[in-house]
């Protein structure tokens, strides 16, 4: 099963400095009321953290790679708007009840809502797939508020100092949560087999993932969501939390279920679903991610090919 690799839990001086900076931003923002806290965190990350940490530069590099014809004015806008959304997302997740309370009466929209309700009534497992878009925990918060039993698979942070705080924060939104990799696989499978709904993020670069495409470029992607859905006959539904113009609320969209076929075809359909939404809301996707890493392609292919052949392969 293509679960994708796990984090490296680095604990160097650089990681400690980054940890202190992030905790500082969180501490400052949590000291003010929610309606001001969220835009404040967005402002701090977009105006101060992003330029210093290289996030704005990363946004520009990614856009140059996949959208080379984008007007410079739009690139400049996204270089600020993307970190703003990231800062808002971070403090929303850390706000616990202040964040989840916004979903108590939030409607679920989209063609997949009826299928979700039917699966819940039948006790059928559901694989919910989203990306780092809008606020990626908004769908989980909304579905839990609507009475669904939702867990989540997450990738541990590379920053070993920050990761425990991050896990504690996402656990306040709802539990259970399972770390990506074999450590959390047993718990996730047990949860799914019991008729649970498990959330996956599909848009991270995975060294050992499948060579699929995103925005027309090779983007190694884990097949774990589709693999598990096929094995346990689970429904596969793309879900997204689209940030609304006021910057605080979300529309939670449940798209039509992805038909069962092969893991590759299903996962590419999930990539395509996310891409279509990102193109409508370019400022809401996490362009800070190194999603493509074209400079690693040749080395990655060589290493994976050698690993498949094995040391005793005569070829």
């Amino acid at each position: 099963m293509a679960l994708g690799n796990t984090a490296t839990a680095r604990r160097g001086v650089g990681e400690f400095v980054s940890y202190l900076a992030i905790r500082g931003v969180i501490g400052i923002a949590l000291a003010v009321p929610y309606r001001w806290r969220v835009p404040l965190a967005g402002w701090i990350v977009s105006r101060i953290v992003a330029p210093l940490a290289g996030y704005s530069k990363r946004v520009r590099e990614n856009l140059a790679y996949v959208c080379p014809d984008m007007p410079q004015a739009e690139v400049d806008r996204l270089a600020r708007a993307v970190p703003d959304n990231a800062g808002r997302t971070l403090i929303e997740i850390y706000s616990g009840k202040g964040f989840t309370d916004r979903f108590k009466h939030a409607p679920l929209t989209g063609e997949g809502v009826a299928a979700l309700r039917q699966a819940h009534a039948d006790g059928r497992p559901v694989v919910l797939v989203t990306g780092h878009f809008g606020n990626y925990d908004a769908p989980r918060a909304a579905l839990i508020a609507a009475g669904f039993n939702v867990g989540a698979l997450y990738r541990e942070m590379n920053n070993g100092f920050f990761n425990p705080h991050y896990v504690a924060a996402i656990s306040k939104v709802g539990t259970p949560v399972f770390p990506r990799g074999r450590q959390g696989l047993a718990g996730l499978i047990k949860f799914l087999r019991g008729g649970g709904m498990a959330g996956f993020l599909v848009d991270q670069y995975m060294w050992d993932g499948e060579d699929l495409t995103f925005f027309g470029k090779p983007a190694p992607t884990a097949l774990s969501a589709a693999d598990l859905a096929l094995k346990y006959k689970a429904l596969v539904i793309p879900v997204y939390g689209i940030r609304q113009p006021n910057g605080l609320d979300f529309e939670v969209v449940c798209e039509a279920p992805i038909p069962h076929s092969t893991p590759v075809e299903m996962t590419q359909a999930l990539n395509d679903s996310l891409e279509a939404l990102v193109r409508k809301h370019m400022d809401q996707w996490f362009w800070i991610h190194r999603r493509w890493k074209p400079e690693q392609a040749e080395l990655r292919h060589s290493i994976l090919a050698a690993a498949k052949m094995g040391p005793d392969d005569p070829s």
Side-chain angles (χ1 to χ4, degrees):
M1 181 179 296
L3 284 166
N5 54 6
T6 54
T8 53
R10 295 190 292 264
R11 291 179 176 269
V13 174
E15 284 73 31
F16 186 65
V17 171
S18 296
Y19 161 73
L20 291 178
I22 295 170
R23 292 288 292 170
V25 171
I26 293 170
I28 292 170
L30 287 177
V32 301
Y34 187 89
R35 62 173 299 190
W36 303 114
R37 176 189 311 164
V38 174
L40 174 62
W43 189 92
I44 293 173
V45 172
S46 64
R47 267 67 170 185
I48 300 173
V49 177
L52 293 175
Y55 297 161
S56 302
K57 181 174 181 287
R58 183 78 53 74
V59 172
R60 294 178 185 276
E61 290 172 345
N62 279 331
L63 289 171
Y65 181 59
V66 301
C67 301
D69 298 327
M70 178 176 287
Q72 188 59 47
E74 179 65 359
V75 173
D76 293 341
R77 184 186 76 85
L78 292 175
R80 178 159 288 181
V82 169
D84 182 273
N85 183 69
R88 289 171 183 256
T89 297
L90 177 66
I91 203 62
E92 285 163 345
I93 292 173
Y94 267 82
S95 293
K97 189 172 183 295
F99 175 57
T100 57
D101 278 353
R102 303 193 77 84
F103 298 96
K104 283 184 176 179
H105 307 291
L108 301 174
T109 64
E111 296 180 30
V113 175
L116 268 179
R117 290 180 175 146
Q118 187 62 54
H120 180 65
D122 296 341
R124 181 183 180 183
V126 178
V127 169
L128 304 165
V129 184
T130 190
H132 290 82
F133 174 89
N135 184 317
Y136 55 86
D137 245 356
R140 186 163 66 106
L143 289 168
I144 290 173
F148 295 105
N149 185 22
V150 183
L153 183 74
Y154 71 94
R155 184 181 185 275
E156 295 174 292
M157 295 287 178
N158 285 329
N159 189 318
F161 298 105
F162 184 66
N163 188 67
H165 297 275
Y166 173 72
V167 175
I170 62 176
S171 296
K172 289 180 181 178
V173 176
T175 56
V177 293
F178 306 96
R180 182 179 286 279
R182 301 198 178 280
Q183 178 184 349
L185 179 59
L188 178 69
I189 289 176
K190 182 178 179 180
F191 179 73
L192 269 178
R193 293 179 69 178
M197 299 182 178
F200 292 74
L201 289 159
V202 75
D203 59 342
Q204 290 175 301
Y205 178 95
M206 290 295 173
W207 176 272
D208 55 349
E210 189 73 23
D211 282 324
L212 305 181
T213 60
F214 187 59
F215 273 78
K217 301 290 186 179
T221 308
L223 302 180
S224 47
D227 282 336
L228 287 169
L230 290 171
K231 185 170 184 179
Y232 298 105
K233 298 179 173 59
L235 201 66
V236 181
I237 296 185
V239 293
Y240 305 105
I242 305 174
R243 190 177 298 279
Q244 296 302 285
N246 68 5
L248 297 172
D249 293 315
F250 297 89
E251 177 187 2
V252 176
V253 177
C254 306
E255 293 189 349
I258 299 293
H260 282 200
S261 54
T262 68
V264 169
E265 291 173 340
M266 293 169 68
T267 307
Q268 184 61 61
L270 292 166
N271 277 0
D272 295 343
S273 165
L274 176 60
E275 180 182 331
L277 194 62
V278 173
R279 288 186 180 276
K280 294 178 182 177
H281 308 275
M282 292 286 282
D283 54 351
Q284 295 200 37
W285 189 63
F286 202 68
W287 292 93
I288 298 166
H289 269 161
R290 296 195 64 209
R291 180 65 183 97
W292 293 274
K293 300 185 183 181
E295 76 284 357
Q296 293 188 10
E298 185 174 350
L299 174 62
R300 173 178 168 273
H301 289 152
S302 297
I303 292 176
L304 291 178
K308 286 181 179 178
M309 288 192 298
D312 300 322
D313 194 316
S315 62

